[in-house]
Amino acid sequence: MNKARVESFSDSVFAFAITLLVLGVQIPEIKPGSDAVLRSALLHSLSELLPYITSFATIGIIWLNHHSMFHSVQRVEHATLTLNLLLLLVVAFIPYPTSVLSRYGALPSSAFLYGSVLTLLGITYSILAWHLERRGLRVPNAKALKSRFAVWRNLLGSIFYPVATLLSISYPRISIAVYFTLAVFYFIPVSQEADTRKQWTNATS
C-alpha cells in the first residue's frame, strides 16, 4: 500500500477523534433562570474543560509525531498497517475516558481509566516507531538526525504515564495534574522536530 493512503486514513482518524472530544463537552444543565445562574454554572463547569484540553493536546502531539515519523518512511508492510491501526484504535477511543473524567471529575476510577488509555497510547506509538526502525523502513539519515531531546521526551512519557496512572488510585487529582503537565511539556519539541525534517531534506537534496 502507498504510504500516502496510510497517512490520509490516519489523518482522518485523528480529526475524527478530536471532533468527538468537542462533542463530549457537557453543556451545563440548569433550570430556566437568570443570566447570573447561567454564568455561575458556566464558571463551575470550567474544570471540566481540563480533560478536553489535555486530550486535545495529546492527540495533536501524537498526530504531529506520526506525521514526522511517516515523513521519512520509504515503504509500508502489512505489519506496519496493523500496528498503525492499533495506534488509531487507541486514538479513536480517547474521547470516551475524556468524557468520563469530565462528567465525574477526579475520582480514582475515572483518573485511572484516563491514564490507562494514555499509557496504552504511548505503548502503541512506541511499538510502531520501533517496528519502522527495526525493519529499516525509514531513510537512514532520519535515524541519525533524530534529536536526543525527542528520545528523552518519549522516555519520560513511558515512565510518567504509568506512574501517574497507578498514583490515581490514591491521589487522582495529582495524577490528572501530571497528565496535563505532560501534555504541555510535549508541545516543547515541535519546532525541533521541524528542524530535524529540514536538516534531512537538505541532506538528501
Side-chain angles (χ1 to χ4, degrees):
M1 178 183 290
N2 191 305
K3 76 165 187 174
R5 293 191 61 188
V6 178
E7 291 179 293
S8 178
F9 176 75
S10 301
D11 288 346
S12 299
V13 174
F14 281 111
F16 177 72
I18 284 180
T19 302
L20 287 181
L21 286 178
V22 178
L23 297 177
V25 176
Q26 301 295 317
I27 299 176
E29 297 182 2
I30 62 173
K31 296 180 180 180
S34 65
D35 181 70
V37 175
L38 176 59
R39 183 168 58 251
S40 176
L42 289 174
L43 291 174
H44 181 73
S45 64
L46 285 179
S47 60
E48 299 178 3
L49 295 179
L50 183 61
Y52 163 76
I53 296 173
T54 303
S55 296
F56 187 97
T58 302
I59 293 176
I61 293 160
I62 291 294
W63 173 75
L64 289 172
N65 291 336
H66 186 274
H67 174 73
S68 177
M69 179 168 59
F70 272 87
H71 178 78
S72 59
V73 169
Q74 296 174 304
R75 58 189 175 86
V76 294
E77 301 176 338
H78 180 74
T80 308
L81 301 178
T82 302
L83 293 176
N84 190 63
L85 283 175
L86 287 176
L87 172 64
L88 297 179
L89 172 67
V90 182
V91 169
F93 185 71
I94 290 177
Y96 175 72
T98 303
S99 295
V100 172
L101 187 60
S102 295
R103 175 171 295 186
Y104 297 105
L107 297 177
S109 296
S110 58
F112 184 85
L113 172 64
Y114 189 76
S116 298
V117 175
L118 293 185
T119 300
L120 190 58
L121 179 67
I123 291 174
T124 53
Y125 178 84
S126 297
I127 292 176
L128 175 60
W130 173 79
H131 162 76
L132 294 174
E133 295 290 350
R134 185 181 67 87
R135 295 289 297 170
L137 302 178
R138 305 177 68 181
V139 291
N141 302 68
K143 184 176 180 179
L145 292 171
K146 188 175 182 181
S147 65
R148 293 182 179 180
F149 186 77
V151 174
W152 281 106
R153 175 200 61 191
N154 293 334
L155 180 61
L156 286 174
S158 301
I159 295 174
F160 281 103
Y161 276 128
V163 170
T165 300
L166 294 177
L167 187 66
S168 66
I169 298 176
S170 300
Y171 306 98
R173 293 185 181 277
I174 296 179
S175 66
I176 292 173
V178 174
Y179 303 147
F180 179 77
T181 302
L182 285 172
V184 173
F185 170 76
Y186 277 134
F187 269 108
I188 297 175
V190 172
S191 59
Q192 190 165 351
E193 289 291 335
D195 291 339
T196 301
R197 293 197 301 269
K198 183 178 180 181
Q199 293 175 23
W200 173 79
T201 302
N202 294 335
T204 55
S205 60

